């Protein structure tokens, strides 16, 4: 199949392209650097022309109140181009529990993106992933100083980016789900404990202070960012750290 991967040069997109091409498909990466802009619409019609499948991995440049506008405009433009190009399957990557955390602008924005795709009139698939292992350092940096890292005990089920990319590629090459597939790492950790494990592995002697209000995940209630019934990826956090 010919598969257009919009946002195909990023952390996930580049690996999706590699996986699909290795499986014998013709996956073509598109991004702003190649002249495709999902907000202005520039280059979108050309990018999806002749594609059997479009995978949209573009992301809002911010996590704040501007993110819903990004996803609304980008999905409207992408769906219009996909309809014009008679694309048979549109795939997006979203977040496990995104509809359960209305307090976060970015999660509301991703839920909006899902709703727009589902209502778009084209066969579709939504892959929802848990938090990426690659983002743990960034999460800690939001609430860190020279001696401490403040983190809530929010349950997290981290997944490696390579496993996310493999799942997205598998869904893109398959029959449209017309629904959602949840994917997750094989282990659940309280976020504060995940921080301690990470710092220890890095030889970082800062203390992790459990603070239920710290950072973006402080507003998350319960275990909505985990899913014991998800398709479980193989990579364990300790193996990824090593």
């Amino acid at each position: 199949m010919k598969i257009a991967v919009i946002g195909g040069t990023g952390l996930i997109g580049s690996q999706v392209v590699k996986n699909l091409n290795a499986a014998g498909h013709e996956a073509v990466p598109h991004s702003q650097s190649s002249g495709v802009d999902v907000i202005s619409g520039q280059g979108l019609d050309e990018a999806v022309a002749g594609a059997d499948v479009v995978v949209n991995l573009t992301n809002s440049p911010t996590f704040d109140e501007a993110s819903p506008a990004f996803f609304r405009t980008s999905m409207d433009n992408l769906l219009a181009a996909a309809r014009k190009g008679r694309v048979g399957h549109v795939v997006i990557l979203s977040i496990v529990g995104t509809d359960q955390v209305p307090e976060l602008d970015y999660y509301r924005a991703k839920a909006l993106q899902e709703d727009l795709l589902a209502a778009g009139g084209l066969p579709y698939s939504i892959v929802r992933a848990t938090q990426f292992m690659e983002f743990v350092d960034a999460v800690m940096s939001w609430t860190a100083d020279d001696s401490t890292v403040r983190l809530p005990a929010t349950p997290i089920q981290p997944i490696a980016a390579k496993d996310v990319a493999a799942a997205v590629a598998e869904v893109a090459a398959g029959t449209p789900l017309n629904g959602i597939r949840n994917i997750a790492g094989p282990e659940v950790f309280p976020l504060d404990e995940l921080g301690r494990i990470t710092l220890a592995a890095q030889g970082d002697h800062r203390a992790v202070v459990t603070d239920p209000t710290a950072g973006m995940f402080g507003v998350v209630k319960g275990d909505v960012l985990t899913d014991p019934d998800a398709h479980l990826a193989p990579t364990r956090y300790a193996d990824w750290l090593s």
Side-chain angles (χ1 to χ4, degrees):
M1 291 188 293
K2 182 177 180 183
I3 302 173
V5 183
I6 315 298
T9 58
L11 173 66
I12 303 299
S14 58
Q15 297 179 74
V16 170
V17 169
K18 180 180 177 182
N19 290 345
L20 287 169
N21 285 329
H25 302 289
E26 181 189 351
V28 182
H30 301 281
S31 64
Q32 282 189 311
S33 61
S34 66
V36 176
D37 189 320
V38 292
I39 296 302
S40 71
Q42 176 185 347
L44 263 181
D45 286 353
E46 295 81 2
V48 307
D52 301 294
V53 183
V54 171
V55 181
N56 178 22
L57 298 172
T58 58
N59 201 7
S60 169
T62 67
F63 289 170
D64 60 15
E65 66 275 2
S67 54
F70 172 88
F71 285 114
R72 178 174 290 283
T73 300
S74 60
M75 285 305 297
D76 285 348
N77 288 338
L78 184 78
L79 288 168
R83 290 186 203 101
K84 189 182 301 184
R86 301 184 184 278
V87 171
H89 186 190
V90 180
V91 181
I92 65 169
L93 176 61
S94 190
I95 309 167
V96 168
T98 196
D99 54 345
Q100 302 295 311
V101 194
E103 298 89 348
L104 290 176
D105 294 322
Y106 183 71
Y107 278 54
R108 284 203 315 277
K110 290 297 289 185
L112 171 65
Q113 184 190 30
E114 292 184 1
D115 291 344
L116 292 168
L117 178 59
L122 292 172
Y124 73 93
S125 299
I126 297 167
V127 180
R128 283 184 175 179
T130 51
Q131 309 303 310
F132 296 176
M133 294 177 184
E134 284 76 2
F135 292 168
V136 173
D137 280 332
V139 170
M140 291 194 297
S141 73
W142 298 338
T143 53
D145 58 30
D146 291 340
S147 59
T148 62
V149 179
R150 308 186 77 83
L151 293 171
T154 307
I156 299 291
Q157 194 170 353
I159 186 170
K162 67 176 183 179
D163 293 338
V164 176
V168 171
E170 179 185 348
V171 168
T175 303
L177 301 173
N178 292 313
I180 297 168
R181 175 174 295 176
N182 281 4
I183 59 172
E187 305 161 293
V188 175
F189 303 88
L191 182 55
D192 56 346
E193 182 60 26
L194 194 64
R196 293 185 185 98
I197 292 168
T198 305
L199 292 179
Q202 296 170 349
D204 188 323
H205 298 295
R206 285 179 295 174
V208 173
V209 176
T210 304
D211 180 347
T213 67
M216 187 172 82
F217 295 109
V219 303
V220 177
K221 307 294 191 295
D223 58 358
V224 297
L225 301 185
T226 68
D227 181 3
D229 299 319
H231 292 251
L232 297 183
T235 306
R236 301 172 71 87
Y237 192 63
D239 296 331
W240 179 84
L241 275 175
S242 64

